[in-house]
Amino acid sequence: MDTALILLAAGRSRRFGSDKLVAAFRGVPLWSWAARAAEEAGFAHRYLVVGPHSAIAPRPGWQVVLNSRADEGMGTSIAAGVAQARRHSRLVMTLADMPLVEPAHLSLLANGEGPVFTQQDDGRPGAPAGFPRSAYPRLAKLAANEGAGSLKWHDADVIAPGSASLRDIDRQEDLVCCSASRAQQNRD
């Protein structure tokens, strides 16, 4: 299957206070963990959506997509990623501030048939998520401040990963908490 991964990395990190995606998490830039999970999952087509303010140094094997409208919201980043990856038969989207996402979970999303979301801690569907080509027009028309989960998907599946893999980094103190979760995963 011709599946691409879109890594959304264009947020402004307002709650963090600086560019969180280049902050060190266990010795490497935070965004590198999500990128590494995508690489280990075997995605040959990888798109990194960044904003004009991004300080991310691209990794080999990633196509950088500049979203000049990133300040307007996540919907613009999703649309920018979909526009670049539309030739692929399926897309998996994940967030660059989720360092605990497992490659196996991304692979499950890639192998789905229709839309497949990850069940969040509150039970709602969210990221990471996978989509067939038939969903691209809807994703491209999201309102600027919306995510893909905000659309009504009547045919979507929702899968639940281990809860630690859903953690994202919003504030500087989350780096410590998330790092402790990663250390526990490595011991298990």
Side-chain angles (χ1 to χ4, degrees):
M1 185 183 290
D2 179 33
T3 303
L5 182 121
I6 297 173
L7 183 57
L8 300 174
R12 290 297 303 221
S13 306
R14 288 181 181 96
R15 291 177 281 178
F16 194 82
S18 61
D19 189 347
K20 66 182 173 183
L21 298 179
V22 297
F25 177 74
R26 296 183 57 113
V28 297
L30 175 64
W31 85 277
S32 296
W33 292 92
R36 191 176 298 166
E39 292 162 1
E40 290 176 12
F43 289 92
H45 309 285
R46 299 183 300 261
Y47 298 86
L48 174 66
V49 181
V50 299
H53 57 275
S54 178
I56 291 175
R59 293 168 67 103
W62 286 84
Q63 180 178 332
V64 176
V65 178
L66 178 62
N67 176 13
S68 61
R69 297 178 49 213
D71 287 343
E72 296 175 35
M74 184 184 295
T76 65
S77 290
I78 292 171
V82 169
Q84 288 299 307
R86 67 183 176 272
R87 68 180 173 90
H88 302 286
S89 60
R90 186 164 181 83
L91 300 176
V92 172
M93 282 188 267
T94 192
L95 306 176
D97 66 352
M98 297 180 83
L100 304 179
V101 170
E102 296 291 330
H105 183 69
L106 296 175
S107 293
L108 282 173
L109 297 167
N111 292 319
E113 297 271 329
V116 182
F117 288 88
T118 299
Q119 182 177 344
Q120 305 302 294
D121 290 338
D122 62 5
R124 294 183 314 176
F131 302 94
R133 181 177 282 135
S134 62
Y136 300 175
R138 293 183 71 195
L139 294 169
K141 292 179 183 175
L142 280 167
N145 62 345
E146 291 180 326
S150 67
L151 297 173
K152 302 295 182 218
W153 300 95
H154 301 291
D155 58 343
D157 289 326
V158 180
I159 57 175
S163 62
S165 68
L166 295 177
R167 295 195 70 124
D168 65 342
I169 305 297
D170 290 324
R171 296 174 181 78
Q172 293 205 16
E173 55 268 20
D174 294 339
L175 285 173
V176 175
C177 180
C178 212
S179 186
S181 294
R182 182 61 144 193
Q184 181 63 39
Q185 277 183 327
N186 290 340
R187 284 194 296 271
D188 291 344

